Amino acid sequence: MRYRTRVTAPATALIGTAMALSGGHTAYAAAGKTPGGKGTPGPETLGDPVFPALGNDGYRVSAYHLDLAYDATTGLVEATTTLNLRTSQALTRFSLDALGLDIHSVRVGGRTAAFEQVDEKLRITPDRALPDGARVTVRVEYSADPRRTLAHTAWVPTPDGFAVAGQPNSAHTVFPCNDHPRDKADFTFRITVPAGLRGVASGLLVCTENLDGGRTAYTYRSRSPIATELVQITVGDYVIKDRQGPHGLPLRDVVPAARAQALEPALALTPGLVEWLEARLGAYPFETYGLLPCNSDDPNAFDFTGLETQTLTLYKPNYLLQEESKIGSHMMHELVHSYFGNSVCPDTWADLWLNEGHADFYGLLYRYERGWADSIGLTTMEARMKNTYARGDQWRHDSGPVAAPNAVNLFDSQRYLGGVLVLYALRQAVGEDVFNAIERAFLERHRGGSATTEDYIAVASQVSGQDQSGFLREWLYGTTTPRMPGHPDWTVTPVTSSLATPHKRTGGHYHDASATL
């Protein structure tokens, strides 16, 4: 039982959150329909071509409320996840993705529901069937151990708490969910921590509660929907550093208290990065932005340099202690994901090149404008693309076409620099002004949702006034590298059958983009 002793935000904020999550009722409802009719079990997949077991169908989630309490003595988390969902068919049973969570109870529409955990699914059977179109509140109580060994995990344990890194398929090791970027939802987070620690999450702080025993509960809410893989929740000995970005954009960094001063030179770069990118892609799409240098130097804690969790990019702290020329383009790469990847999510994981190709594209442009040599010593986009073009057939041989990955090669360079090469080819074909218009139109059309590769092709065709489907599909799905517009002299190196793919990711989350930039 948690006892609130003082609240430093208006009570209406919490009441609004509770009402939004419950829909103003405690039971499921469907206008003009009576619960308890016939139905079938919901599919335990969304049909993703890369992760076919990921996600669940038969419903869509509109909102999550995560209530987590961290015990510093045991290192365990006691949690409740409440979901608002709407059925898209009559259901006798439905499932959530869940792995490594000790489930205590499940309630559907305020009623106790039967459940079982099978592989990475939490199967839920309500006491009566859910009709098509029903709005349903699902409440799951559980506990979790951030240090538990699992086949894959989003937990990033630290000496004083944890952070999370759910990309691409691990958010459901932190909270039960429909773990697929196609099903974005609103999020609120309530994080209870012991004295001396701070809880932070994606979005903006809306409430702070002082509780018994010196504990504090922090509540955050996102103004925009979030894909499950982009959720950030962190607990640790952090200080919050606020500053102002372009047009009054609030910037907040969550920084290990012991390193705040040392990290300041890197953190101070963010306003300039945002200004540069807004000039190319339009206004920053969220309510805030900032960095989270996770409080851990353990090389085994996470296998990436940075991860674009929404409104709060996760970093290894030591990486940000380097000079600007070493980190600036990577910081730009992660910021670009606020547009490509976060505001507009991939509709399936086969569409990942839209995220990573764009992030590397603008990261490299930013680097070359500043005269910084890249990781292989080149100083212009044209030189880097000529180098990448020469590798094109080899990468297609080793990693498949740019837009046709599998679970093993998902984060290979083909999705990163291979994606840059596709964007460069399109810009060569249509001209820089038209290309820039395509980029903005795509972001505007799909803002707050997800998009497929075909969606990008459709926008490129409409904005350019020419059918780009043949051109782009050849670049994205062909087994050999097409001719580069404007560069008839560029050649492709013949394939070597056993050449290993360069810059291949080393672990389960995210390719180290700093290696390509």
Side-chain angles (χ1 to χ4, degrees), residues 371-455:
W372 302 333
D374 60 29
S375 59
I376 58 175
L378 302 176
T379 57
T380 67
M381 180 66 89
E382 182 174 327
R384 187 59 182 270
M385 289 300 95
K386 183 177 182 180
N387 178 278
T388 304
Y389 184 83
R391 304 165 187 253
D393 283 2
Q394 187 68 59
W395 286 4
R396 290 169 191 265
H397 173 273
D398 293 343
S399 297
V402 174
N406 58 43
V408 174
N409 64 33
L410 179 62
F411 292 98
D412 284 2
S413 285
Q414 183 70 306
R415 259 48 73 188
Y416 290 73
L417 282 171
V420 177
L421 194 66
V422 173
L423 297 172
Y424 180 83
L426 178 61
R427 191 177 70 168
Q428 288 289 109
V430 302
E432 187 169 351
D433 289 345
V434 173
F435 175 80
N436 292 340
I438 291 169
E439 297 282 89
R440 287 188 177 230
F442 175 77
L443 291 170
E444 180 62 29
R445 183 168 302 177
H446 297 286
R447 180 172 180 166
S450 62
T452 66
T453 296
E454 287 300 313
D455 289 329

Side-chain angles (χ1 to χ4, degrees), residues 1 11 38-40 45 103 176 235 369 376 380 418 427 449 477 499:
M1 179 72 69
K38 294 181 179 180
T40 58
T45 178
I103 308 296
V235 169
E369 279 193 14
I376 58 175
T380 67
R427 191 177 70 168
Y477 298 106
L499 185 66

Side-chain angles (χ1 to χ4, degrees), residues 7-302:
V7 178
T8 58
T12 51
L14 293 178
I15 294 171
T17 297
M19 290 295 288
L21 287 163
S22 67
H25 51 72
T26 58
Y28 46 78
K33 299 181 180 180
T34 302
K38 294 181 179 180
T40 58
E44 296 184 352
T45 178
L46 280 174
D48 191 275
V50 179
F51 298 109
L54 201 62
N56 310 274
D57 212 350
Y59 65 89
R60 287 294 182 268
V61 182
S62 60
Y64 292 87
H65 178 69
L66 276 55
D67 192 338
L68 285 72
Y70 175 68
D71 187 326
T73 302
T74 64
L76 300 180
V77 174
E78 295 295 329
T80 300
T81 291
T82 305
L83 307 86
N84 268 9
L85 57 85
R86 186 181 182 94
T87 61
S88 55
Q89 66 183 73
L91 294 170
T92 58
R93 188 184 76 198
F94 63 96
S95 58
L96 301 172
D97 297 303
L99 174 65
L101 306 178
D102 296 320
I103 308 296
H104 305 319
S105 68
V106 178
R107 297 179 70 84
V108 177
R111 299 173 180 266
T112 299
F115 66 89
E116 63 176 338
Q117 292 179 265
V118 180
D119 297 325
E120 298 189 24
K121 298 296 180 181
L122 173 61
R123 291 176 179 164
I124 300 172
T125 303
D127 69 340
R128 48 184 174 165
L130 306 178
D132 183 14
R135 291 184 293 275
V136 184
T137 299
V138 181
R139 178 183 174 93
V140 183
E141 295 185 358
Y142 62 99
S143 58
D145 181 354
R147 289 173 169 77
R148 177 178 292 175
T149 299
L150 299 169
H152 57 95
T153 184
W155 294 103
V156 179
T158 66
D160 53 3
F162 62 84
V164 298
Q167 191 186 76
N169 62 334
S170 296
H172 61 277
T173 64
V174 176
F175 60 102
C177 57
N178 201 24
D179 197 3
H180 195 278
R182 185 182 302 160
D183 196 12
K184 300 172 78 169
D186 295 331
F187 274 84
T188 60
F189 311 84
R190 184 174 184 265
I191 311 164
T192 302
V193 296
L197 299 181
R198 183 183 292 267
V200 185
S202 299
L204 291 174
L205 181 66
V206 296
C207 180
T208 302
E209 305 165 69
N210 293 330
L211 308 175
D212 62 300
R215 297 176 304 147
T216 305
Y218 300 92
T219 299
Y220 287 80
R221 180 184 299 133
S222 174
R223 292 180 183 170
S224 301
I226 308 179
T228 51
E229 53 110 359
L230 298 173
V231 162
Q232 182 54 258
I233 311 163
T234 188
V235 169
D237 182 14
Y238 292 118
V239 296
I240 307 298
K241 305 194 76 172
D242 295 309
R243 70 191 81 229
Q244 193 172 89
H247 318 298
L249 174 69
L251 302 175
R252 59 93 190 254
D253 299 307
V254 181
V255 190
R259 304 191 190 194
Q261 183 174 355
L263 288 165
E264 179 58 26
L267 305 178
L269 299 175
T270 298
L273 294 167
V274 174
E275 184 176 14
W276 185 91
L277 193 55
E278 284 192 333
R280 288 151 182 82
L281 297 181
Y284 176 78
F286 299 117
E287 64 269 32
T288 185
Y289 183 68
L291 307 186
L292 167 61
C294 185
N295 197 17
S296 177
D297 291 322
D298 181 357
N300 299 314
F302 48 103

